[in-house]
Amino acid sequence: MVTDHWSVGGRALSSRLFIGTGLFPNPYVQREAIRASGAEVLTFAIRRVNLEATEDDSILLHLQGESFAYLPNTSGASTAGEAVRIARLARASGLSDWVKVEISANERTLLPDPIETLKATEILVKEGFTVLPYTSDDPILCKRLEEAGAAAVMPGAAPIGTGLGLLNPYNIGLIVEEAKVPIIVDAGLGSAADVAQAMELGVSGVLMNTPIAKAKDPVRMAAAMRLAIEAGRLSYLAGRVPRKRYASASSGLEAFKLK
Amino acid sequence: MIDLIVNGKQSTVDAHTIAELIAHYGLTGKPIVVEADGEIVDRALWKQAELRQNMKLELVHFVGGG
């Protein structure tokens, strides 16, 4: 495996896969899938403790003994105010001052509210958080989030959990071209091919949960995603051939063709 | 006994401080965060933080998420 270095918010990373921790069938599969993925950054949600079942293990106990960066999200928030509140609670855990701003405007699509996301990003950057907003794939919005101080910007490929892949690769390409911070495609990816496609567009990384956790074999899929990121990144760096309208033969030498 | 709203539900508990409330729910030593009447209360202060009648408390933690 090629060792690849990049950084987000001042933290050096060698994996370009951020992995979500929800939806796994059990903690054992979750741990093995995370290991197979090579991910160094894990996302979490913040929720009320279930007071009827406090003897249940905290998800964090299953992940002890390894050094991950924790990226709590603000899922559940529908306004900037709610997102800021959740971010502060997450930081108060002492585990991370990173936050994925996730503010949903619509329960059916879970698409991020662009206006509230920008507001929350501005506030949280000023409060000293390392902010990674999950946003729509609008190039201007992504630039505004960068200007507001986001450490990385995370446009969606498609709505959360849909597995539809990159619905607007053109926009993702534009976003990458204009960005001075890492661009991480977050949400809606479904397969290893989607991940390779995203990497070939030049994104710095991908964030995914459903395509690994809900695959028939999550551990195997995590390994596939790791390879897809590597292949896609190498392809991007190698410089692909242009698309052509008509054929262009691989062997010329007209005079020597057998006739 | 004191009346509180804990995680959105009306509760009456035998506790005087946040630390005692945490113990009441069997959460001592677990990685949770406490918000009391909209203000986060640092873990270091739980033993001294007194509960007040009708105080609104949120006990939250990290769960799986994307």
Side-chain angles (χ1 to χ4, degrees):
Chain A
M1 299 249 175
V2 179
T3 311
D4 185 7
H5 297 290
W6 64 302
S7 71
V8 176
R11 183 176 177 126
L13 298 168
S14 54
S15 163
R16 294 179 179 274
L17 177 57
F18 288 14
I19 193 169
T21 53
L23 305 171
F24 284 92
N26 62 66
Y28 172 74
V29 168
Q30 181 192 61
R31 207 184 53 234
E32 291 307 306
I34 289 171
R35 190 165 294 151
S37 76
E40 295 161 332
V41 180
L42 309 181
T43 61
F44 297 91
I46 304 296
R47 292 287 183 273
R48 285 171 166 168
V49 173
N50 179 358
L51 299 171
E52 321 273 305
T54 62
E55 69 283 353
D56 287 353
D57 280 344
S58 154
I59 190 176
L60 298 174
L61 292 174
H62 296 289
L63 301 162
Q64 264 179 346
E66 325 208 24
S67 67
F68 296 105
Y70 291 164
L71 178 56
N73 68 37
T74 66
S75 70
S78 56
T79 66
E82 288 171 5
V84 168
R85 180 185 178 207
I86 293 170
R88 289 172 182 160
L89 285 164
R91 184 161 66 173
S93 69
L95 296 169
S96 180
D97 63 2
W98 283 28
V99 62
K100 166 179 158 173
V101 175
E102 179 180 339
I103 302 173
S104 167
N106 178 310
E107 264 181 43
R108 203 168 50 139
T109 64
L110 296 178
L111 286 169
D113 184 315
I115 295 161
E116 297 299 304
T117 297
L118 182 55
K119 260 197 234 168
T121 298
E122 287 165 347
I123 295 168
L124 292 169
V125 165
K126 287 199 180 83
E127 290 189 11
F129 286 83
T130 296
V131 185
L132 287 75
Y134 159 58
T135 174
S136 67
D137 57 8
D138 181 281
I140 308 296
L141 174 59
C142 287
K143 202 62 190 165
R144 292 285 173 266
L145 289 164
E146 177 186 312
E147 289 160 1
V153 175
M154 309 208 293
I160 294 169
T162 57
L164 291 170
L166 287 159
L167 292 179
N168 198 339
Y170 178 81
N171 272 25
I172 299 294
L174 285 182
I175 291 164
V176 168
E177 273 175 33
E178 303 279 303
K180 294 196 174 60
V181 294
I183 300 300
I184 297 164
V185 167
D186 174 14
L189 298 168
S191 70
D194 297 336
V195 167
Q197 184 190 14
M199 296 307 297
E200 286 185 301
L201 289 169
V203 306
S204 296
V206 298
L207 197 165
M208 62 175 65
N209 192 163
T210 302
I212 293 176
K214 302 288 267 183
K216 290 199 175 66
D217 184 339
V219 179
R220 200 168 225 181
M221 186 57 82
M225 294 305 188
R226 181 181 192 164
L227 291 168
I229 285 179
E230 205 185 320
R233 181 72 184 160
L234 277 173
S235 171
Y236 171 71
L237 294 172
R240 62 156 295 153
V241 297
R243 290 178 169 84
K244 286 184 178 164
R245 185 166 169 76
Y246 297 111
S248 132
S250 310
S251 307
L253 300 171
E254 261 312 301
F256 295 95
K257 268 187 178 168
L258 294 153
K259 295 215 173 40
Chain B
M1 301 298 278
I2 191 168
D3 300 316
L4 306 165
I5 301 164
V6 187
N7 286 0
K9 277 172 62 171
Q10 176 66 45
S11 312
T12 305
V13 295
D14 185 9
H16 303 93
T17 64
I18 287 182
E20 284 175 17
L21 182 70
I22 299 301
H24 168 84
Y25 286 116
L27 291 168
T28 306
K30 299 226 170 178
I32 67 168
V33 177
V34 177
E35 188 197 72
D37 286 338
E39 301 280 326
I40 296 172
V41 182
D42 198 283
R43 178 181 289 266
L45 301 172
W46 288 356
K47 283 209 172 83
Q48 302 111 274
E50 279 179 16
L51 298 172
R52 283 189 301 279
Q53 186 72 3
N54 298 322
M55 199 176 217
K56 253 190 86 179
L57 290 134
E58 298 285 347
L59 311 184
V60 302
H61 64 164
F62 280 34
V63 300

